[in-house]
Amino acid sequence: GCSSQASGAYTPAAKGKSVMGLVAPKMDTVRVGLIGVGERGVGFVRHFCHIDGAVVTAICDTDPLVLERASSIVTSLGGDKPAVYGDHPYAYRDMLERDDIDIVIISTPWEWHHPMAKDTMLAGKHAFVEVPLALTVAEMWDLVDTAEKTQLNCMMMENVNYGRDELMVLNMVRQGLFGELLHGEAAYIHELRWQMKQMDRKTGSWRTHYHTTHNGNLYPTHGLGPVSQYMNINRGDRFDYMTSMSSPALGRAAYAKREFPANHPRNQLNFIHGDMNTSIIKTVKGRTIMVQHDTTTPMPYSRHNLIQGTNGVFAGFPNRIALENGGRKDFHYWDHDMDYWYKKYEHPLWVRMGQEAEKQGGHGGMDFLMCWRMIYCLRNGEPLDQDVYDGAAWSVILPLSVASVADRGNSKDIPDFTRGAWETGKPLGIVS
Ligand SMILES: NC(=O)c1ccc[n+]([C@@H]2O[C@H](COP(=O)([O-])OP(=O)(O)OC[C@H]3O[C@@H](n4cnc5c(N)ncnc54)[C@H](O)[C@@H]3O)[C@@H](O)[C@H]2O)c1
């Protein structure tokens, strides 16, 4: 089931050896096992089959239909038939006993992320977990503790950090285009009511129920990951505290009433998750980040992707920029023409891999680029771009937003998962 434990009750274990900047021994070939190959995981199967130096050796899913689909993708793309698991909910543990797996990709419903990532590390393998990393403050700490104890990677796969625009903005920020950073805005605004029609399999079959158990921000990381990288969160700054409020929860019940018969299971649910949730995070250096979540209201998609500094601002959806110095227009007017800015500030990683990434696809190439970069770092003995502390900091907005909403928007402290290492952590480089 979905636990929704409040914050604060858990005392982290004594300081373990930090995994910030962790470098695993170089791997020649990266042997990949996957748990969960539904709507999301199936894309990873394809991507790893297309990346040199990666090989899919084993797959686990409790749904025989998607398990068979994934396995035949591997063979149709020229790979050996992977070992398959999934005849019971913990069959993934049998898979983890294999000695031909180096990394495990976890793309299962949210309540499974924590146990599967933990078991993966305890079995001596690197864990790569879909978003969010976990659901409660205690679960986040447990994954931090386990990564430190085992000295293994536990990366939350925030693919949006590999989007073309996000990479360009990171490059702009690093070159000082916006001056000193002050404020960011992030969001997951994506109308997903239609997923309520998925009853037996696919995302909506389980995700719908989170709207009946949690009132806060269920999915904070897509917009927040990039803004956190712009701001060097955990690498010179860190989240300090946050506050959160939710609008009424009206849209899902109305949708159920409109789209399903009166006696349909979707009309028996009590939706409590406010349609629009707004949180504000304060960092130790005093910066602010607004984070919104709305998967219910009819409106265009947005992750906001806004970063503001003393010299101006970039905003996404649609992309636009305004600068006091260095812009092409008076800063009172948005410059919407991105071609000029791409030419000047395209991230070297996108210059190198963008065409291939767009060809391989997955959210405009960001999914492929993330997978490619993971394999590149593992094969070349470089630290990953995202570590367990990042995943925990970005994901903990979920339980803390729920706690703040339930407490009239009063502020909640955000744990320092790095245990002080943020002060000396090195900012993410502009890699090529
Ligand atoms: N980063 C992104 O852009 C992005 C996009 C979509 C989904 N996601 C994330 O991916 C994850 C999966 O979402 P989805 O849309 O693929 O859902 P899904 O329901 O389509 O797939 C989940 C799969 O997990 C399997 N599963 C469930 N319990 C299992 C168990 N105990 N052992 C083995 N397999 C089990 C299910 O059978 C299913 O095939 C979620 O965390 C979601 O938030 C991320």
Side-chain angles (χ1 to χ4, degrees):
C2 1
S3 47
S4 65
Q5 183 181 324
S7 60
Y10 177 80
T11 315
K15 187 173 166 61
K17 182 167 180 277
S18 180
V19 288
M20 201 178 274
L22 181 75
V23 174
K26 266 188 205 181
M27 299 173 199
D28 190 27
T29 302
V30 182
R31 297 163 302 175
V32 182
L34 298 103
I35 314 175
V37 285
E39 296 284 273
R40 180 66 179 159
V42 68
F44 289 132
V45 174
R46 270 194 205 95
H47 290 324
F48 288 113
C49 287
H50 283 126
I51 295 172
D52 280 347
V55 48
V56 174
T57 51
I59 304 179
C60 175
D61 198 298
T62 45
D63 180 349
L65 218 75
V66 300
L67 186 60
E68 170 52 33
R69 174 181 69 175
S71 157
S72 60
I73 287 172
V74 176
T75 49
S76 73
L77 291 174
D80 291 339
K81 191 171 163 42
V84 292
Y85 297 82
D87 54 357
H88 63 101
Y90 286 91
Y92 74 88
R93 286 179 172 163
D94 303 335
M95 184 184 95
L96 291 176
E97 283 175 17
R98 299 181 68 88
D99 58 10
D100 61 353
I101 299 175
D102 302 305
I103 72 171
V104 177
I105 310 294
I106 299 163
S107 315
T108 48
W110 300 334
E111 61 272 22
W112 283 103
H113 290 186
H114 164 260
M116 287 172 171
K118 182 175 184 178
D119 290 343
T120 294
M121 288 185 277
L122 292 177
K125 286 132 178 103
H126 300 283
F128 290 81
V129 194
E130 255 308 336
V131 304
L133 180 66
L135 289 170
T136 69
V137 177
E139 286 179 359
M140 311 284 171
W141 273 119
D142 196 30
L143 292 182
V144 167
D145 291 344
T146 307
E148 291 182 347
K149 192 168 88 184
T150 59
Q151 290 292 301
L152 289 163
N153 288 299
C154 180
M155 172 177 141
M156 185 184 77
M157 293 184 288
E158 185 39 82
N159 49 325
V160 176
N161 288 314
Y162 298 88
R164 181 187 187 186
D165 299 331
E166 286 80 2
L167 285 170
M168 175 180 69
V169 176
L170 180 67
N171 196 18
M172 289 171 153
V173 167
R174 285 293 190 280
Q175 297 193 37
L177 200 62
F178 306 105
E180 294 290 320
L181 298 188
L182 302 164
H183 173 75
E185 294 183 10
Y188 190 66
I189 294 176
H190 189 187
E191 192 277 307
L192 294 173
R193 288 172 300 177
W194 53 273
Q195 289 184 341
M196 290 163 64
K197 294 189 174 165
Q198 301 169 334
M199 297 301 293
D200 302 322
R201 51 164 53 93
K202 300 190 179 176
T203 322
S205 64
W206 53 269
R207 188 160 164 165
T208 300
H209 298 278
Y210 279 93
H211 289 260
T212 71
T213 54
H214 292 62
N215 182 13
N217 184 334
L218 279 179
Y219 210 60
T221 71
H222 281 334
L224 188 55
V227 169
S228 301
Q229 291 191 338
Y230 308 154
M231 287 190 181
N232 290 335
I233 297 302
N234 289 346
R235 295 170 168 83
D237 197 358
R238 73 168 180 88
F239 298 158
D240 189 356
Y241 60 92
M242 66 168 294
T243 180
S244 187
M245 294 183 208
S246 287
S247 80
L250 299 176
R252 293 208 168 229
Y255 182 85
K257 202 170 168 205
R258 186 180 87 200
E259 298 290 325
F260 303 104
N263 61 352
H264 190 277
R266 292 293 188 239
N267 273 313
Q268 321 301 314
L269 298 176
N270 180 25
F271 294 101
I272 63 162
H273 185 269
D275 294 353
M276 171 61 88
N277 172 268
T278 304
S279 305
I280 304 177
I281 301 170
K282 185 84 168 162
T283 77
V284 167
K285 296 220 158 146
R287 296 160 177 161
T288 48
I289 307 171
M290 182 189 77
V291 194
Q292 292 192 308
H293 177 278
D294 184 346
T295 57
T296 299
T297 309
M299 64 185 287
Y301 182 97
S302 181
R303 293 189 301 268
H304 292 340
N305 193 27
L306 182 146
I307 189 76
Q308 189 175 22
T310 50
N311 188 49
V313 57
F314 179 97
F317 304 90
N319 286 336
R320 54 210 193 272
I321 188 167
L323 298 171
E324 181 152 52
N325 296 307
R328 296 187 303 165
K329 286 186 177 182
D330 178 331
F331 64 81
H332 291 96
Y333 302 92
W334 289 112
D335 178 358
H336 282 97
D337 177 10
M338 281 297 125
D339 284 344
Y340 171 83
W341 297 103
Y342 286 133
K343 277 198 195 91
K344 260 185 106 146
Y345 289 101
E346 190 93 82
H347 191 293
L349 194 58
W350 195 269
V351 174
R352 173 175 176 181
M353 289 302 297
Q355 258 196 336
E356 173 71 7
E358 274 175 351
K359 193 181 110 200
Q360 298 292 344
H363 296 111
M366 59 171 72
D367 297 349
F368 177 81
L369 190 53
M370 173 177 67
C371 294
W372 180 87
R373 182 71 191 148
M374 283 156 43
I375 299 299
Y376 179 92
C377 291
L378 293 168
R379 295 184 77 199
N380 289 280
E382 291 184 13
L384 298 168
D385 300 323
Q386 308 175 30
D387 58 31
V388 70
Y389 310 110
D390 295 321
W394 306 344
S395 302
V396 83
I397 303 311
L398 189 167
L400 295 183
S401 65
V402 171
S404 179
V405 165
D407 187 23
R408 298 178 61 83
N410 278 307
S411 73
K412 301 295 158 192
D413 288 346
I414 302 177
D416 173 15
F417 292 107
T418 76
R419 294 190 252 250
W422 65 272
E423 293 189 71
T424 49
K426 251 180 45 199
L428 203 64
I430 300 295
V431 295
S432 55

PDB file of all heavy atoms in Angstrom, residues 260-283:
ATOM      1  N   PHE A 260     -17.792   8.299 -16.227  1.00  0.00           N
ATOM      2  CA  PHE A 260     -18.063   6.917 -15.816  1.00  0.00           C
ATOM      3  C   PHE A 260     -19.495   6.805 -15.297  1.00  0.00           C
ATOM      4  O   PHE A 260     -20.043   7.778 -14.764  1.00  0.00           O
ATOM      5  CB  PHE A 260     -17.107   6.479 -14.704  1.00  0.00           C
ATOM      6  CG  PHE A 260     -15.644   6.586 -15.049  1.00  0.00           C
ATOM      7  CD1 PHE A 260     -14.870   7.625 -14.542  1.00  0.00           C
ATOM      8  CD2 PHE A 260     -15.038   5.640 -15.867  1.00  0.00           C
ATOM      9  CE1 PHE A 260     -13.515   7.720 -14.845  1.00  0.00           C
ATOM     10  CE2 PHE A 260     -13.687   5.727 -16.173  1.00  0.00           C
ATOM     11  CZ  PHE A 260     -12.921   6.769 -15.671  1.00  0.00           C
ATOM     12  N   PRO A 261     -20.081   5.603 -15.402  1.00  0.00           N
ATOM     13  CA  PRO A 261     -21.407   5.382 -14.809  1.00  0.00           C
ATOM     14  C   PRO A 261     -21.376   5.622 -13.296  1.00  0.00           C
ATOM     15  O   PRO A 261     -20.321   5.504 -12.674  1.00  0.00           O
ATOM     16  CB  PRO A 261     -21.700   3.908 -15.094  1.00  0.00           C
ATOM     17  CG  PRO A 261     -20.666   3.433 -16.036  1.00  0.00           C
ATOM     18  CD  PRO A 261     -19.539   4.408 -16.062  1.00  0.00           C
ATOM     19  N   ALA A 262     -22.512   5.922 -12.727  1.00  0.00           N
ATOM     20  CA  ALA A 262     -22.585   6.293 -11.303  1.00  0.00           C
ATOM     21  C   ALA A 262     -22.012   5.207 -10.392  1.00  0.00           C
ATOM     22  O   ALA A 262     -21.390   5.499  -9.371  1.00  0.00           O
ATOM     23  CB  ALA A 262     -24.016   6.606 -10.913  1.00  0.00           C
ATOM     24  N   ASN A 263     -22.178   3.937 -10.771  1.00  0.00           N
ATOM     25  CA  ASN A 263     -21.726   2.852  -9.892  1.00  0.00           C
ATOM     26  C   ASN A 263     -20.304   2.378 -10.214  1.00  0.00           C
ATOM     27  O   ASN A 263     -19.850   1.362  -9.706  1.00  0.00           O
ATOM     28  CB  ASN A 263     -22.703   1.671  -9.999  1.00  0.00           C
ATOM     29  CG  ASN A 263     -22.763   1.110 -11.418  1.00  0.00           C
ATOM     30  OD1 ASN A 263     -22.177   1.701 -12.345  1.00  0.00           O
ATOM     31  ND2 ASN A 263     -23.447   0.005 -11.598  1.00  0.00           N
ATOM     32  N   HIS A 264     -19.612   3.113 -11.063  1.00  0.00           N
ATOM     33  CA  HIS A 264     -18.249   2.735 -11.469  1.00  0.00           C
ATOM     34  C   HIS A 264     -17.285   2.963 -10.292  1.00  0.00           C
ATOM     35  O   HIS A 264     -17.454   3.913  -9.527  1.00  0.00           O
ATOM     36  CB  HIS A 264     -17.841   3.608 -12.662  1.00  0.00           C
ATOM     37  CG  HIS A 264     -16.574   3.184 -13.329  1.00  0.00           C
ATOM     38  ND1 HIS A 264     -15.338   3.554 -12.855  1.00  0.00           N
ATOM     39  CD2 HIS A 264     -16.350   2.411 -14.431  1.00  0.00           C
ATOM     40  CE1 HIS A 264     -14.404   3.039 -13.645  1.00  0.00           C
ATOM     41  NE2 HIS A 264     -14.992   2.341 -14.609  1.00  0.00           N
ATOM     42  N   PRO A 265     -16.250   2.079 -10.168  1.00  0.00           N
ATOM     43  CA  PRO A 265     -15.294   2.246  -9.054  1.00  0.00           C
ATOM     44  C   PRO A 265     -14.685   3.651  -8.967  1.00  0.00           C
ATOM     45  O   PRO A 265     -14.406   4.133  -7.862  1.00  0.00           O
ATOM     46  CB  PRO A 265     -14.193   1.221  -9.354  1.00  0.00           C
ATOM     47  CG  PRO A 265     -14.791   0.244 -10.298  1.00  0.00           C
ATOM     48  CD  PRO A 265     -15.972   0.871 -10.951  1.00  0.00           C
ATOM     49  N   ARG A 266     -14.481   4.305 -10.093  1.00  0.00           N
ATOM     50  CA  ARG A 266     -13.888   5.654 -10.065  1.00  0.00           C
ATOM     51  C   ARG A 266     -14.834   6.671  -9.415  1.00  0.00           C
ATOM     52  O   ARG A 266     -14.393   7.741  -9.001  1.00  0.00           O
ATOM     53  CB  ARG A 266     -13.517   6.117 -11.479  1.00  0.00           C
ATOM     54  CG  ARG A 266     -12.373   5.329 -12.105  1.00  0.00           C
ATOM     55  CD  ARG A 266     -11.056   5.583 -11.372  1.00  0.00           C
ATOM     56  NE  ARG A 266      -9.918   5.006 -12.057  1.00  0.00           N
ATOM     57  CZ  ARG A 266      -9.096   4.101 -11.526  1.00  0.00           C
ATOM     58  NH1 ARG A 266      -9.307   3.627 -10.303  1.00  0.00           N
ATOM     59  NH2 ARG A 266      -8.059   3.658 -12.206  1.00  0.00           N
ATOM     60  N   ASN A 267     -16.113   6.324  -9.356  1.00  0.00           N
ATOM     61  CA  ASN A 267     -17.067   7.213  -8.686  1.00  0.00           C
ATOM     62  C   ASN A 267     -17.234   6.880  -7.204  1.00  0.00           C
ATOM     63  O   ASN A 267     -18.019   7.526  -6.509  1.00  0.00           O
ATOM     64  CB  ASN A 267     -18.418   7.184  -9.408  1.00  0.00           C
ATOM     65  CG  ASN A 267     -18.452   8.210 -10.536  1.00  0.00           C
ATOM     66  OD1 ASN A 267     -18.065   9.367 -10.336  1.00  0.00           O
ATOM     67  ND2 ASN A 267     -18.883   7.793 -11.716  1.00  0.00           N
ATOM     68  N   GLN A 268     -16.494   5.871  -6.736  1.00  0.00           N
ATOM     69  CA  GLN A 268     -16.542   5.530  -5.305  1.00  0.00           C
ATOM     70  C   GLN A 268     -15.356   6.151  -4.555  1.00  0.00           C
ATOM     71  O   GLN A 268     -15.242   5.997  -3.357  1.00  0.00           O
ATOM     72  CB  GLN A 268     -16.507   4.003  -5.075  1.00  0.00           C
ATOM     73  CG  GLN A 268     -17.308   3.170  -6.054  1.00  0.00           C
ATOM     74  CD  GLN A 268     -18.780   3.545  -6.045  1.00  0.00           C
ATOM     75  OE1 GLN A 268     -19.371   3.691  -4.986  1.00  0.00           O
ATOM     76  NE2 GLN A 268     -19.370   3.709  -7.231  1.00  0.00           N
ATOM     77  N   LEU A 269     -14.467   6.804  -5.281  1.00  0.00           N
ATOM     78  CA  LEU A 269     -13.242   7.310  -4.648  1.00  0.00           C
ATOM     79  C   LEU A 269     -13.456   8.696  -4.045  1.00  0.00           C
ATOM     80  O   LEU A 269     -14.250   9.486  -4.556  1.00  0.00           O
ATOM     81  CB  LEU A 269     -12.103   7.369  -5.678  1.00  0.00           C
ATOM     82  CG  LEU A 269     -11.684   6.021  -6.280  1.00  0.00           C
ATOM     83  CD1 LEU A 269     -10.628   6.219  -7.365  1.00  0.00           C
ATOM     84  CD2 LEU A 269     -11.169   5.075  -5.200  1.00  0.00           C
ATOM     85  N   ASN A 270     -12.713   8.964  -2.961  1.00  0.00           N
ATOM     86  CA  ASN A 270     -12.758  10.278  -2.337  1.00  0.00           C
ATOM     87  C   ASN A 270     -11.458  11.019  -2.665  1.00  0.00           C
ATOM     88  O   ASN A 270     -10.432  10.798  -2.027  1.00  0.00           O
ATOM     89  CB  ASN A 270     -12.946  10.112  -0.819  1.00  0.00           C
ATOM     90  CG  ASN A 270     -12.996  11.448  -0.112  1.00  0.00           C
ATOM     91  OD1 ASN A 270     -13.341  12.465  -0.713  1.00  0.00           O
ATOM     92  ND2 ASN A 270     -12.627  11.459   1.164  1.00  0.00           N
ATOM     93  N   PHE A 271     -11.536  11.885  -3.655  1.00  0.00           N
ATOM     94  CA  PHE A 271     -10.333  12.591  -4.103  1.00  0.00           C
ATOM     95  C   PHE A 271     -10.033  13.754  -3.164  1.00  0.00           C
ATOM     96  O   PHE A 271     -10.857  14.650  -3.006  1.00  0.00           O
ATOM     97  CB  PHE A 271     -10.528  13.102  -5.540  1.00  0.00           C
ATOM     98  CG  PHE A 271     -10.658  11.992  -6.540  1.00  0.00           C
ATOM     99  CD1 PHE A 271     -11.913  11.612  -7.022  1.00  0.00           C
ATOM    100  CD2 PHE A 271      -9.541  11.306  -6.985  1.00  0.00           C
ATOM    101  CE1 PHE A 271     -12.039  10.572  -7.940  1.00  0.00           C
ATOM    102  CE2 PHE A 271      -9.658  10.264  -7.901  1.00  0.00           C
ATOM    103  CZ  PHE A 271     -10.912   9.895  -8.374  1.00  0.00           C
ATOM    104  N   ILE A 272      -8.843  13.720  -2.555  1.00  0.00           N
ATOM    105  CA  ILE A 272      -8.479  14.765  -1.598  1.00  0.00           C
ATOM    106  C   ILE A 272      -7.288  15.607  -2.070  1.00  0.00           C
ATOM    107  O   ILE A 272      -6.947  16.602  -1.447  1.00  0.00           O
ATOM    108  CB  ILE A 272      -8.118  14.164  -0.211  1.00  0.00           C
ATOM    109  CG1 ILE A 272      -6.886  13.254  -0.314  1.00  0.00           C
ATOM    110  CG2 ILE A 272      -9.312  13.418   0.384  1.00  0.00           C
ATOM    111  CD1 ILE A 272      -6.220  12.991   1.028  1.00  0.00           C
ATOM    112  N   HIS A 273      -6.644  15.188  -3.142  1.00  0.00           N
ATOM    113  CA  HIS A 273      -5.421  15.863  -3.588  1.00  0.00           C
ATOM    114  C   HIS A 273      -5.789  17.169  -4.306  1.00  0.00           C
ATOM    115  O   HIS A 273      -6.327  17.144  -5.429  1.00  0.00           O
ATOM    116  CB  HIS A 273      -4.648  14.926  -4.523  1.00  0.00           C
ATOM    117  CG  HIS A 273      -3.324  15.454  -4.960  1.00  0.00           C
ATOM    118  ND1 HIS A 273      -3.164  16.195  -6.109  1.00  0.00           N
ATOM    119  CD2 HIS A 273      -2.107  15.361  -4.403  1.00  0.00           C
ATOM    120  CE1 HIS A 273      -1.884  16.528  -6.240  1.00  0.00           C
ATOM    121  NE2 HIS A 273      -1.228  16.030  -5.222  1.00  0.00           N
ATOM    122  N   GLY A 274      -5.537  18.295  -3.693  1.00  0.00           N
ATOM    123  CA  GLY A 274      -5.902  19.592  -4.275  1.00  0.00           C
ATOM    124  C   GLY A 274      -5.449  19.698  -5.714  1.00  0.00           C
ATOM    125  O   GLY A 274      -4.311  19.339  -6.029  1.00  0.00           O
ATOM    126  N   ASP A 275      -6.323  20.193  -6.592  1.00  0.00           N
ATOM    127  CA  ASP A 275      -6.020  20.178  -8.029  1.00  0.00           C
ATOM    128  C   ASP A 275      -4.719  20.928  -8.318  1.00  0.00           C
ATOM    129  O   ASP A 275      -3.871  20.436  -9.055  1.00  0.00           O
ATOM    130  CB  ASP A 275      -7.174  20.816  -8.815  1.00  0.00           C
ATOM    131  CG  ASP A 275      -8.444  19.976  -8.727  1.00  0.00           C
ATOM    132  OD1 ASP A 275      -8.388  18.858  -8.168  1.00  0.00           O
ATOM    133  OD2 ASP A 275      -9.498  20.437  -9.207  1.00  0.00           O
ATOM    134  N   MET A 276      -4.588  22.116  -7.766  1.00  0.00           N
ATOM    135  CA  MET A 276      -3.356  22.887  -7.940  1.00  0.00           C
ATOM    136  C   MET A 276      -2.673  23.038  -6.583  1.00  0.00           C
ATOM    137  O   MET A 276      -3.269  23.561  -5.647  1.00  0.00           O
ATOM    138  CB  MET A 276      -3.657  24.276  -8.520  1.00  0.00           C
ATOM    139  CG  MET A 276      -2.457  25.230  -8.543  1.00  0.00           C
ATOM    140  SD  MET A 276      -1.049  24.678  -9.535  1.00  0.00           S
ATOM    141  CE  MET A 276      -1.503  25.342 -11.157  1.00  0.00           C
ATOM    142  N   ASN A 277      -1.458  22.527  -6.495  1.00  0.00           N
ATOM    143  CA  ASN A 277      -0.665  22.676  -5.271  1.00  0.00           C
ATOM    144  C   ASN A 277       0.496  23.612  -5.551  1.00  0.00           C
ATOM    145  O   ASN A 277       1.164  23.497  -6.583  1.00  0.00           O
ATOM    146  CB  ASN A 277      -0.137  21.317  -4.792  1.00  0.00           C
ATOM    147  CG  ASN A 277       0.841  21.474  -3.634  1.00  0.00           C
ATOM    148  OD1 ASN A 277       2.052  21.573  -3.837  1.00  0.00           O
ATOM    149  ND2 ASN A 277       0.320  21.519  -2.416  1.00  0.00           N
ATOM    150  N   THR A 278       0.738  24.544  -4.633  1.00  0.00           N
ATOM    151  CA  THR A 278       1.838  25.501  -4.773  1.00  0.00           C
ATOM    152  C   THR A 278       2.714  25.466  -3.525  1.00  0.00           C
ATOM    153  O   THR A 278       2.212  25.624  -2.413  1.00  0.00           O
ATOM    154  CB  THR A 278       1.292  26.926  -4.979  1.00  0.00           C
ATOM    155  OG1 THR A 278       0.426  26.938  -6.117  1.00  0.00           O
ATOM    156  CG2 THR A 278       2.435  27.915  -5.206  1.00  0.00           C
ATOM    157  N   SER A 279       3.997  25.213  -3.732  1.00  0.00           N
ATOM    158  CA  SER A 279       4.954  25.195  -2.622  1.00  0.00           C
ATOM    159  C   SER A 279       6.009  26.266  -2.879  1.00  0.00           C
ATOM    160  O   SER A 279       6.274  26.620  -4.029  1.00  0.00           O
ATOM    161  CB  SER A 279       5.656  23.844  -2.516  1.00  0.00           C
ATOM    162  OG  SER A 279       4.728  22.798  -2.416  1.00  0.00           O
ATOM    163  N   ILE A 280       6.600  26.771  -1.808  1.00  0.00           N
ATOM    164  CA  ILE A 280       7.762  27.655  -1.937  1.00  0.00           C
ATOM    165  C   ILE A 280       8.873  27.113  -1.048  1.00  0.00           C
ATOM    166  O   ILE A 280       8.652  26.831   0.137  1.00  0.00           O
ATOM    167  CB  ILE A 280       7.437  29.113  -1.542  1.00  0.00           C
ATOM    168  CG1 ILE A 280       6.263  29.643  -2.378  1.00  0.00           C
ATOM    169  CG2 ILE A 280       8.671  30.000  -1.761  1.00  0.00           C
ATOM    170  CD1 ILE A 280       5.833  31.044  -1.988  1.00  0.00           C
ATOM    171  N   ILE A 281      10.035  26.944  -1.665  1.00  0.00           N
ATOM    172  CA  ILE A 281      11.221  26.458  -0.965  1.00  0.00           C
ATOM    173  C   ILE A 281      12.161  27.635  -0.733  1.00  0.00           C
ATOM    174  O   ILE A 281      12.356  28.453  -1.625  1.00  0.00           O
ATOM    175  CB  ILE A 281      11.965  25.397  -1.814  1.00  0.00           C
ATOM    176  CG1 ILE A 281      11.047  24.210  -2.130  1.00  0.00           C
ATOM    177  CG2 ILE A 281      13.241  24.936  -1.114  1.00  0.00           C
ATOM    178  CD1 ILE A 281      11.634  23.251  -3.166  1.00  0.00           C
ATOM    179  N   LYS A 282      12.737  27.693   0.467  1.00  0.00           N
ATOM    180  CA  LYS A 282      13.774  28.687   0.772  1.00  0.00           C
ATOM    181  C   LYS A 282      15.095  27.938   0.878  1.00  0.00           C
ATOM    182  O   LYS A 282      15.174  26.897   1.543  1.00  0.00           O
ATOM    183  CB  LYS A 282      13.428  29.363   2.096  1.00  0.00           C
ATOM    184  CG  LYS A 282      14.352  30.502   2.486  1.00  0.00           C
ATOM    185  CD  LYS A 282      13.956  31.806   1.830  1.00  0.00           C
ATOM    186  CE  LYS A 282      14.711  32.980   2.455  1.00  0.00           C
ATOM    187  NZ  LYS A 282      14.662  34.163   1.550  1.00  0.00           N
ATOM    188  N   THR A 283      16.143  28.462   0.249  1.00  0.00           N
ATOM    189  CA  THR A 283      17.447  27.808   0.367  1.00  0.00           C
ATOM    190  C   THR A 283      18.257  28.486   1.467  1.00  0.00           C
ATOM    191  O   THR A 283      17.938  29.593   1.910  1.00  0.00           O
ATOM    192  CB  THR A 283      18.253  27.867  -0.956  1.00  0.00           C
ATOM    193  OG1 THR A 283      18.804  29.175  -1.115  1.00  0.00           O
ATOM    194  CG2 THR A 283      17.394  27.506  -2.151  1.00  0.00           C
TER     195      THR A 283
END
